[in-house]
Amino acid sequence: DSSVSPVTPGEQMTARDLMYGLMLPSGNDAGNALAVICDGSVQAFVDRMNRKAQELGLSNTHFMNPHGYHHPDHYTTARDLARLTAHALQFPAFMEFVTHTQWTMQPTALRPALPLKVSAELLDPNSPYHYDGAFGIKSGSTRAAGYCYVGCAVRNGRTLLAVVLNDRIRTQAWTDLTRLFNLGFAKM
């Protein structure tokens, strides 16, 4: 159940296209390619991710790959994901990637231009699960982890961040996030 961008060996792509390939369709292949570009190997990048997690005080997080695909020694918590996301939201480049809901990868010698679209119904205005003001951050699912989502919503100049993990039904993640956002905004 690993998702791909797709990225084909030998294909030349921009890092921007790879980031959108990682963030929108959850392309694990794009995550691996970015790791190699940044640090020379997937393992070197994962080592850096773990050092950064320690620096940020994410004591219940350990990475085994750059994309989040299941591995028995790859783990985190909702709290650590929220702390990591709050840190990442400080960077304009991160905000660029997580606020786009679609992107077209440039054509390569191996394929034509490739349109990408985020799969989170929470962000789709045509979905019954759409949440006004929601943006980003990242959805993901595997059989082992269930449906997971880290997202934000903005209302009246306030931004809320919510995390759901291990929902067993895809649409339950959107329902749970809606409830969390509504509760948070009601308390503001």
Side-chain angles (χ1 to χ4, degrees):
D1 57 356
S2 177
S3 54
V4 296
S5 292
V7 176
T8 304
E11 191 171 30
Q12 292 189 11
M13 302 170 66
T14 66
R16 175 169 265 112
D17 278 351
L18 287 169
M19 277 299 296
Y20 281 111
L22 172 65
M23 297 304 290
L24 296 179
S26 298
N28 297 340
D29 52 352
N32 287 338
L34 285 163
V36 171
I37 290 168
C38 291
D39 284 313
S41 72
V42 168
Q43 188 58 54
F45 188 79
V46 169
D47 291 344
R48 185 158 57 116
M49 289 172 63
N50 284 315
R51 284 191 304 274
K52 187 65 173 181
Q54 288 178 339
E55 287 173 29
L56 294 173
L58 309 181
S59 58
N60 294 304
T61 295
H62 184 261
F63 299 110
M64 292 300 293
N65 59 58
H67 41 67
Y69 189 73
H70 179 72
H71 184 285
D73 296 326
H74 187 108
Y75 56 85
T76 191
T77 63
R79 182 180 184 162
D80 279 4
L81 285 173
R83 292 178 75 186
L84 178 62
T85 302
H87 173 74
L89 288 170
Q90 298 173 44
F91 299 95
F94 181 77
M95 288 295 292
E96 173 193 340
F97 294 115
V98 300
T99 55
H100 275 76
T101 57
Q102 54 189 355
W103 180 259
T104 301
M105 292 175 126
Q106 297 301 307
T108 71
L110 302 176
R111 63 158 172 76
L114 181 63
L116 304 175
K117 184 178 179 187
V118 71
S119 62
E121 287 95 342
L122 198 71
L123 307 177
D124 181 355
N126 298 315
S127 167
Y129 299 100
H130 177 256
Y131 193 87
D132 190 42
F135 69 91
I137 298 298
K138 188 72 189 79
S139 65
S141 65
T142 65
R143 284 184 204 102
Y147 294 97
C148 305
Y149 191 79
V150 178
C152 289
V154 176
R155 187 173 290 162
N156 299 323
R158 302 291 303 225
T159 301
L160 294 179
L161 188 151
V163 178
V164 295
L165 302 175
N166 198 26
D167 271 323
R168 299 322 294 174
I169 301 168
R170 180 178 176 80
T171 55
Q172 188 62 48
W174 317 133
T175 302
D176 288 347
L177 281 164
T178 294
R179 288 178 180 155
L180 288 168
F181 288 144
N182 287 342
L183 178 66
F185 285 125
K187 292 184 179 254
M188 297 181 126

